[in-house]
Amino acid sequence: MTTDVLVVGAGMAGLACARALDRAGRGCLVIDKGRGAGGRMATRRVALGDDEVRFDHGAQYFTVRDPGFAALIDALPGATAIWEDGGAEPHRVGRPGMSALPRAMAEGLELRTGVEVTGLARAGAGWRVATTAGPIEAAHVVLTLPAPQAARLPGLPAALADRLRGVEMAPCLTLMAAFPADLPRPAVQLRPDTGPLGWIARDSAKPGRADRVTTWVAQATPEWSRAHLEEDRATIARRLLPVLAEAIGAAPEAALHVAGHRWRYARVTTPLGAPVLSGAEGTLHLGGDWALGARVEAAWQSGAAIAADLLATTERTEAPT
């Protein structure tokens, strides 16, 4: 398989880059090892009897400050809504789930899911990328993997790997739980001062969510997440459910659904400090939220900056002399 630009990762950064390249008329293929677009802008759907409930088990909301990012949100009006959660500035969410925004961004793009990159090798002026679906030849490669994963990718130039090792990311273990709607609902969000949970959100309070049951998403602190990172999801859920139940004033056994999730690279604690990392004569670019900070908008800014840099580099190299 051959493409002009291969974008690895269909999270916010990868999609922002691919959309900009597509609008510029560049051939672009996006691959992701997951089942769909979105990365940590993820929504889990669960059947409860005749009902289906959703859990935003990754990013809970995002803010909009950059004019370019605001223009994207305005262009996809049905995919987001404002969550009235008492925040100091408007918190936006995907509608009917966080994954709605990346799904809308991916429309019209060539996206292949369930494909994982396993290595890079130079092939003439471009790249030969090894994947679980076979090799892909590309003139340009964009990597939007978490920085620690990208740093370990076989074939990544040593100078870029060294830069990536300065980026630090923390894990987050997450609990999803559904309770009957007539049980206590003390707040839209809670931030416990002590204990393993750092943040609790009443997910069913978001716009467009079904309210026949009450859904909660609880995120563990970085410290607790590190200490229990290698435990299986069932054990994570078993440990965190009583803590959530106590915080919301419900009995653990009243839960209608309980599940745990592991985000190994969830929070950016030390960013790169620049939107783009590039090398190999401008044929290899890297970015993501880890480049600028732990915000959805930061991931979009990085992806947009990668596309701009790639297009500018190509214009310079292809300009007549």
Side-chain angles (χ1 to χ4, degrees):
M1 182 185 304
T2 302
T3 185
D4 179 11
V5 184
L6 175 65
V7 177
V8 180
M12 178 56 69
L15 293 175
C17 178
R19 280 174 61 92
L21 294 175
D22 184 69
R23 289 198 300 271
R26 299 297 294 264
C28 186
L29 169 65
V30 184
I31 63 172
D32 195 285
K33 69 177 182 179
R35 292 179 292 180
R40 293 193 300 278
M41 294 189 72
T43 303
R44 176 82 56 85
R45 294 185 294 178
V46 176
L48 289 179
D50 295 332
D51 292 327
E52 181 182 77
V53 297
R54 292 177 171 86
F55 296 91
D56 292 333
H57 60 297
Q60 289 297 301
Y61 63 84
F62 61 92
T63 53
V64 180
R65 302 166 189 167
D66 185 287
F69 190 49
L72 168 69
I73 301 306
D74 291 342
L76 303 170
T80 69
I82 294 177
W83 182 25
E84 301 291 349
D85 64 342
E89 61 181 313
H91 287 172
R92 298 198 74 96
V93 297
R95 183 172 184 169
M98 283 297 284
S99 61
L101 177 58
R103 281 204 313 271
M105 292 176 64
E107 289 185 6
L109 299 177
E110 185 179 0
L111 169 63
R112 302 195 178 190
T113 58
V115 179
E116 183 174 2
V117 62
T118 57
L120 301 172
R122 289 307 300 264
W127 295 89
R128 181 179 176 87
V129 182
T131 80
T132 53
I136 301 173
E137 303 275 351
H140 298 267
V141 174
V142 175
L143 299 176
T144 63
L145 308 170
Q149 286 183 333
R152 297 192 299 268
L153 188 65
L156 186 75
L160 298 181
D162 288 343
R163 291 284 306 278
L164 290 175
R165 291 188 185 100
V167 176
E168 296 182 1
M169 303 185 74
C172 180
L173 301 183
T174 299
L175 172 70
M176 295 163 273
F179 287 85
D182 58 354
L183 292 187
R185 294 184 289 182
V188 173
Q189 58 171 295
L190 301 167
R191 296 183 183 272
D193 295 326
T194 60
L197 293 179
W199 201 75
I200 301 169
R202 177 153 53 92
D203 214 47
S204 51
K206 295 175 181 177
R209 275 62 168 178
D211 59 0
R212 288 181 290 275
V213 299
T214 303
T215 56
W216 297 90
V217 173
Q219 297 176 340
T221 64
E223 296 76 18
W224 197 92
S225 295
R226 289 191 189 95
H228 299 271
L229 184 59
E230 301 307 331
E231 294 181 349
D232 61 65
R233 289 176 290 181
T235 301
I236 293 166
R238 177 175 54 81
R239 290 185 185 277
L240 292 179
L241 177 60
V243 184
L244 170 65
E246 181 178 4
I248 65 174
E253 56 270 21
L256 304 172
H257 174 81
V258 179
H261 189 84
R262 179 193 300 108
W263 295 104
R264 190 173 294 274
Y265 305 110
R267 299 181 173 99
V268 183
T269 56
T270 304
L272 178 69
V276 184
L277 185 60
S278 65
E281 296 79 43
T283 62
L284 179 61
H285 289 78
L286 298 92
D289 62 351
W290 51 263
L292 293 172
R295 298 174 58 238
V296 169
E297 188 173 52
W300 178 88
Q301 289 172 322
S302 178
I306 290 172
D309 188 77
L310 190 155
L311 292 170
T313 300
T314 303
E315 288 176 2
R316 288 194 299 270
T317 58
E318 294 180 354
T321 58

